[in-house]
Amino acid sequence: MTDPAKRTSIITIDGPAAAGKSTAARLLAQRLGFVLLDSGALYRCVALHLLRRKIPPNAVRIPEEAISALEIAVEPAAVTMKVLLNGEDVTALLRHESISEAASRFSALPEVRQALLDLQRSTGEQWNLVAEGRDMGTVVFPHARFKFFLIADLDERARRRYLELIERGERADFDQVRSQMIERDQRDATRKASPLVMASDALAIDAGALSPDEVVDRIMCAIEGEASSLNAAR
Ligand code: DC
């Protein structure tokens, strides 16, 4: 359970796909010596599990036995969080485009979101956390003291995702990447369970024209500014 007191040890970073959350969250975690919770990787891990069980990504509900056969564990790692699916390290399998698409669809289902809730919250009990995703500040850690919401315009996000795929040696077509992104944005924002919305107490950062280090500088500035105004008020 989340501590109802404001948690200074949890920093949430939410926002749409390819707004620069992952890199900024990783750099911020490194600077602060916090653990990175990449919640997207958990949804990707569920997608891998369900695809392995031949459940189609357009399923409207997930059979109970598929959820109960799912055991995910996370371990802090130097660059990315390590994700174990029923004991197997699946971290390297999670970034593939077919998994992205399935994760986007499965993550709309309440039973999938529910299956990950306790795991995510328990990481916040164990470690100081930079938690990155879509609903970290709204649903998973509503009491986090510092919340950020990264935005960037669609073309910039599509360009980033396209370059990321090319760098990984995957075949990609810019227009297709862009239209898939529109579709996923729409799905993330309109699903009934935990839609992508900015928490009312989050600070929005337009990351479109900023480097990851500049995004982290802005976040650090906001945290340090807030901390010193709290100290001054004491
Ligand atoms: O951030 P990502 O691309 O790795 O996330 C993969 C999918 O998981 C994405 O389509 C939306 C979903 N997701 C979610 O619904 N809630 C989160 N907190 C994180 C990711």
Side-chain angles (χ1 to χ4, degrees):
M1 265 220 341
T2 312
D3 184 345
K6 290 273 186 195
R7 298 289 305 262
T8 50
S9 53
I10 298 177
I11 298 167
T12 64
I13 304 181
D14 289 307
K21 300 183 304 282
S22 309
T23 311
R26 179 167 42 78
L27 293 175
L28 180 67
Q30 280 167 354
R31 265 202 221 178
L32 294 170
F34 280 22
V35 168
L36 171 67
L37 173 65
D38 172 3
S39 60
L42 304 183
Y43 285 94
R44 288 166 182 274
C45 184
V46 175
L48 176 65
H49 169 76
L50 297 176
L51 289 175
R52 282 177 170 178
R53 296 177 76 92
K54 308 271 182 276
I55 297 175
N58 61 354
V60 290
R61 63 171 291 280
I62 306 299
E64 179 59 44
E65 66 270 17
I67 296 279
S68 45
L70 170 71
E71 201 175 297
I72 302 182
V74 296
E75 286 175 15
V79 180
T80 47
M81 192 183 79
K82 197 160 145 185
V83 184
L84 305 175
L85 170 59
N86 297 328
E88 173 194 351
D89 181 356
V90 293
T91 318
L93 306 178
L94 300 179
R95 301 299 307 177
H96 195 272
E97 223 7 50
S98 61
I99 301 285
S100 303
E101 183 61 21
S104 163
R105 293 177 182 274
F106 286 130
S107 65
L109 301 176
E111 60 269 40
V112 167
R113 307 202 71 83
Q114 187 60 38
L116 291 176
L117 200 53
D118 285 349
L119 169 65
Q120 294 175 91
R121 287 185 177 157
S122 75
T123 61
E125 298 295 314
Q126 285 172 268
W127 303 298
N128 290 333
L129 220 59
V130 175
E132 177 250 307
R134 306 289 193 286
D135 60 346
M136 298 296 100
T138 48
V139 174
V140 180
F141 300 114
H143 302 293
R145 183 68 190 83
F146 297 108
K147 301 182 184 178
F148 299 91
F149 195 87
L150 297 197
I151 50 171
D153 80 22
L154 173 69
D155 283 330
E156 175 58 19
R157 292 190 291 119
R159 193 184 69 83
R160 288 177 182 184
R161 178 51 55 88
Y162 171 77
L163 292 177
E164 190 187 313
L165 292 171
I166 297 291
E167 263 167 36
R168 281 212 308 267
E170 289 189 36
R171 290 204 312 172
D173 171 79
F174 178 79
D175 290 335
Q176 196 185 357
V177 169
R178 189 177 182 279
S179 57
Q180 279 174 346
M181 192 160 273
I182 294 173
E183 222 180 276
R184 281 183 209 154
D185 281 356
Q186 171 80 358
R187 236 181 348 250
D188 280 353
T190 55
R191 67 180 174 225
K192 286 207 179 73
S194 306
L196 172 68
V197 283
M198 181 168 126
S200 57
D201 52 349
L203 177 72
I205 296 178
D206 186 345
L210 300 177
S211 70
D213 273 311
E214 288 170 330
V215 172
V216 174
D217 287 343
R218 297 249 170 127
I219 291 177
M220 289 298 291
C221 231
I223 291 172
E224 282 159 5
E226 179 91 4
S228 62
S229 68
L230 279 178
N231 284 339
R234 278 200 186 114

